[in-house]
Amino acid sequence: MARPKKETELKHTHRIYLRLTDTEYEIVSNNAKSANLPLAEYARKQLMNKKVIVKYELVADLPELKKLIAEFGKIGSNLNQIARHFNTGGIHSQEIRKAINEGIADIYEMKYEVMKLAGDFTTAAKDYLK
C-alpha cells in the first residue's frame, strides 16, 4: 500500500538556498544530530522560532558508579524480601527491625557517595564546556 499523500497546505513547496562556511555547517549539522532531527527540519524550526529540544546522552563508565548500582540492587532485593515477609503476615522481630535499619543506613551512605560522584562529574562537565 502506498504512503498517503500530504494535504497541500502541509507540503513544503518553497525553497530557501543558504550558504554556510564549513564551520557554520558543522555547527548546524551537529545541533541537528543532537536534537535528533533531519537538517532541514532543524533549520525550519530555528527559522520559525520554534523550540528545539537538544538531548544529550552522557555515558560515565566509572567503576565506583558500577559498584553503587550493584549495591542498590542488593539493597532493593533485601527490601523486597522484608516487604514480602510483612505482606505475608510475618512477625515483627528485633532481627527484622535491625535489618531494616541497616538497609536504611546503607541507602543514606550510598546517597552521599552518589552525590559526591555527581558533584565531581558536574564539576568536570562544567570545566569541559568552558
Side-chain angles (χ1 to χ4, degrees):
M1 176 178 223
R3 183 173 155 196
K5 300 281 183 190
K6 285 186 177 180
E7 294 185 32
T8 54
E9 337 44 87
L10 297 178
K11 287 185 180 179
H12 297 112
T13 56
H14 300 282
R15 295 174 188 245
I16 297 176
Y17 295 98
L18 177 67
R19 293 177 189 256
L20 300 172
T21 65
D22 289 341
T23 304
E24 290 169 334
Y25 180 80
E26 188 176 327
I27 290 169
V28 172
S29 180
N30 286 338
N31 287 345
K33 282 181 185 175
S34 296
N36 202 20
L37 291 173
L39 187 57
E41 183 66 23
Y42 175 80
R44 193 177 300 116
K45 285 187 175 204
Q46 289 291 64
L47 286 169
M48 302 303 290
N49 288 326
K50 292 188 178 176
K51 186 176 184 179
V52 176
I53 299 172
V54 178
K55 297 178 182 175
Y56 295 100
E57 181 177 335
L58 298 176
V59 178
D61 188 21
L62 301 172
E64 299 91 359
L65 197 54
K66 287 181 179 181
K67 179 183 171 195
L68 288 174
I69 290 169
E71 288 295 319
F72 279 129
K74 291 174 187 174
I75 291 171
S77 176
N78 290 344
L79 291 174
N80 282 337
Q81 291 174 10
I82 292 167
R84 189 176 305 116
H85 172 79
F86 287 128
N87 289 334
T88 57
I91 299 171
H92 296 262
S93 68
Q94 289 291 53
E95 186 177 319
I96 295 293
R97 190 173 303 274
K98 180 181 174 190
I100 292 171
N101 288 335
E102 285 176 5
I104 292 170
D106 288 346
I107 290 171
Y108 276 108
E109 182 180 323
M110 289 171 51
K111 173 187 168 188
Y112 293 118
E113 285 185 48
V114 168
M115 289 171 62
K116 180 181 158 203
L117 282 174
D120 292 346
F121 186 71
T122 304
T123 303
K126 285 180 184 176
D127 291 342
Y128 174 77
L129 293 173
K130 285 183 183 178

